[in-house]
Amino acid sequence: MTARIERRRLGCAIALAIFFGAAGVLHIALPQPFLRITPGWVPEPERVIFLTGLCEIAGAIGLLAPRARRYAGAGLSLYAICVFPANIKHAYDTLSGDPSLWQWVYHAMRLPLQPVIVWLALFAGNVVGPPFRKV
Protein backbone atom coordinates (compact mmCIF):
# COMPACT_ATOMS: atom_id res chain seq x y z
CA MET A 1 0.00 0.00 0.00
CA THR A 2 2.77 2.47 0.90
CA ALA A 3 4.67 1.89 -2.36
CA ARG A 4 1.48 2.52 -4.33
CA ILE A 5 0.81 5.75 -2.41
CA GLU A 6 4.37 6.89 -3.01
CA ARG A 7 4.03 6.20 -6.76
CA ARG A 8 0.84 8.27 -6.80
CA ARG A 9 2.54 11.01 -4.81
CA LEU A 10 5.44 11.07 -7.28
CA GLY A 11 3.03 11.06 -10.22
CA CYS A 12 1.20 14.04 -8.72
CA ALA A 13 4.50 15.83 -8.14
CA ILE A 14 5.56 15.32 -11.76
CA ALA A 15 2.16 16.36 -13.15
CA LEU A 16 2.04 19.46 -10.95
CA ALA A 17 5.64 20.33 -11.82
CA ILE A 18 4.71 20.30 -15.51
CA PHE A 19 1.51 22.30 -14.87
CA PHE A 20 3.07 24.93 -12.59
CA GLY A 21 6.29 25.12 -14.62
CA ALA A 22 4.35 25.83 -17.82
CA ALA A 23 2.12 28.34 -16.03
CA GLY A 24 5.18 30.08 -14.61
CA VAL A 25 6.79 30.40 -18.02
CA LEU A 26 3.51 31.81 -19.41
CA HIS A 27 3.29 34.33 -16.57
CA ILE A 28 6.72 35.65 -17.53
CA ALA A 29 6.56 35.30 -21.33
CA LEU A 30 2.92 36.35 -21.88
CA PRO A 31 1.77 38.36 -18.86
CA GLN A 32 -1.17 40.16 -20.54
CA PRO A 33 -3.86 37.50 -19.94
CA PHE A 34 -2.83 37.31 -16.28
CA LEU A 35 -2.79 41.09 -15.93
CA ARG A 36 -6.38 41.21 -17.21
CA ILE A 37 -7.62 38.92 -14.43
CA THR A 38 -5.56 40.49 -11.65
CA PRO A 39 -7.85 42.22 -9.13
CA GLY A 40 -7.51 46.00 -9.01
CA TRP A 41 -6.39 45.99 -5.38
CA VAL A 42 -3.14 44.14 -6.25
CA PRO A 43 -0.26 46.65 -6.13
CA GLU A 44 2.21 46.75 -9.03
CA PRO A 45 0.45 44.01 -11.01
CA GLU A 46 3.22 43.64 -13.62
CA ARG A 47 5.78 42.92 -10.93
CA VAL A 48 3.39 40.62 -9.06
CA ILE A 49 2.67 38.60 -12.23
CA PHE A 50 6.40 38.28 -12.91
CA LEU A 51 7.09 37.20 -9.33
CA THR A 52 4.23 34.70 -9.35
CA GLY A 53 5.72 33.21 -12.50
CA LEU A 54 9.05 32.82 -10.73
CA CYS A 55 7.30 31.24 -7.73
CA GLU A 56 5.52 28.74 -9.96
CA ILE A 57 8.77 27.80 -11.67
CA ALA A 58 10.60 27.48 -8.34
CA GLY A 59 7.76 25.38 -6.94
CA ALA A 60 7.81 23.14 -10.01
CA ILE A 61 11.54 22.58 -9.65
CA GLY A 62 11.11 21.98 -5.92
CA LEU A 63 8.50 19.28 -6.54
CA LEU A 64 11.08 17.41 -8.60
CA ALA A 65 13.77 17.65 -5.90
CA PRO A 66 13.07 15.12 -3.12
CA ARG A 67 14.69 17.26 -0.40
CA ALA A 68 12.65 20.33 -1.37
CA ARG A 69 9.39 18.57 -2.26
CA ARG A 70 7.68 19.18 1.09
CA TYR A 71 8.43 22.92 1.02
CA ALA A 72 7.44 23.17 -2.65
CA GLY A 73 4.14 21.39 -2.01
CA ALA A 74 3.29 23.65 0.91
CA GLY A 75 4.34 26.76 -1.02
CA LEU A 76 2.37 25.87 -4.14
CA SER A 77 -0.72 25.10 -2.07
CA LEU A 78 -0.48 28.55 -0.46
CA TYR A 79 0.10 30.05 -3.89
CA ALA A 80 -3.06 28.36 -5.22
CA ILE A 81 -5.03 29.85 -2.33
CA CYS A 82 -3.57 33.33 -2.91
CA VAL A 83 -4.42 33.42 -6.62
CA PHE A 84 -8.02 32.31 -6.09
CA PRO A 85 -9.29 35.94 -6.13
CA ALA A 86 -7.92 36.23 -9.68
CA ASN A 87 -9.85 33.08 -10.63
CA ILE A 88 -13.02 34.58 -9.17
CA LYS A 89 -12.45 37.89 -11.00
CA HIS A 90 -11.85 36.00 -14.24
CA ALA A 91 -15.12 34.10 -13.81
CA TYR A 92 -17.04 37.25 -12.87
CA ASP A 93 -15.68 39.28 -15.78
CA THR A 94 -16.36 36.48 -18.26
CA LEU A 95 -19.78 35.41 -17.02
CA SER A 96 -21.18 38.91 -16.46
CA GLY A 97 -21.04 39.61 -20.20
CA ASP A 98 -22.60 37.35 -22.80
CA PRO A 99 -20.77 34.09 -22.09
CA SER A 100 -20.81 31.07 -24.32
CA LEU A 101 -21.71 27.62 -23.04
CA TRP A 102 -18.01 26.73 -23.07
CA GLN A 103 -17.16 29.68 -20.84
CA TRP A 104 -19.83 28.58 -18.36
CA VAL A 105 -18.49 25.02 -18.42
CA TYR A 106 -14.89 26.18 -18.00
CA HIS A 107 -15.63 28.32 -14.95
CA ALA A 108 -18.08 25.81 -13.46
CA MET A 109 -15.23 23.27 -13.51
CA ARG A 110 -12.33 25.63 -12.82
CA LEU A 111 -13.48 27.30 -9.60
CA PRO A 112 -14.31 24.09 -7.67
CA LEU A 113 -11.05 22.58 -8.92
CA GLN A 114 -8.94 25.10 -6.96
CA PRO A 115 -9.28 23.26 -3.60
CA VAL A 116 -8.30 20.05 -5.40
CA ILE A 117 -5.15 21.75 -6.70
CA VAL A 118 -4.39 22.91 -3.14
CA TRP A 119 -4.77 19.36 -1.83
CA LEU A 120 -2.77 17.84 -4.72
CA ALA A 121 0.16 20.16 -3.98
CA LEU A 122 0.04 19.15 -0.32
CA PHE A 123 -0.23 15.46 -1.22
CA ALA A 124 2.59 15.67 -3.78
CA GLY A 125 4.75 17.38 -1.16
CA ASN A 126 4.03 14.66 1.42
CA VAL A 127 2.38 17.21 3.71
CA VAL A 128 -0.91 15.27 3.82
CA GLY A 129 -1.82 11.67 3.19
CA PRO A 130 -4.40 10.12 0.89
CA PRO A 131 -7.96 11.27 1.60
CA PHE A 132 -9.83 7.98 1.65
CA ARG A 133 -7.58 5.49 3.44
CA LYS A 134 -9.11 2.44 5.00
CA VAL A 135 -8.83 2.51 8.78
Side-chain angles (χ1 to χ4, degrees), residues 22-92:
V25 168
L26 287 174
H27 274 78
I28 293 168
L30 300 167
Q32 278 313 114
F34 303 102
L35 288 168
R36 280 196 296 274
I37 66 170
T38 302
W41 48 263
V42 173
E44 299 185 59
E46 293 85 3
R47 182 173 291 166
V48 168
I49 295 300
F50 180 79
L51 292 174
T52 57
L54 291 179
C55 289
E56 286 174 310
I57 292 168
I61 292 168
L63 284 176
L64 299 176
R67 293 180 68 171
R69 191 169 292 146
R70 186 175 191 85
Y71 299 107
L76 287 172
S77 68
L78 289 172
Y79 170 83
I81 292 167
C82 290
V83 299
F84 195 58
N87 299 134
I88 293 170
K89 181 183 183 310
H90 185 210
Y92 179 80

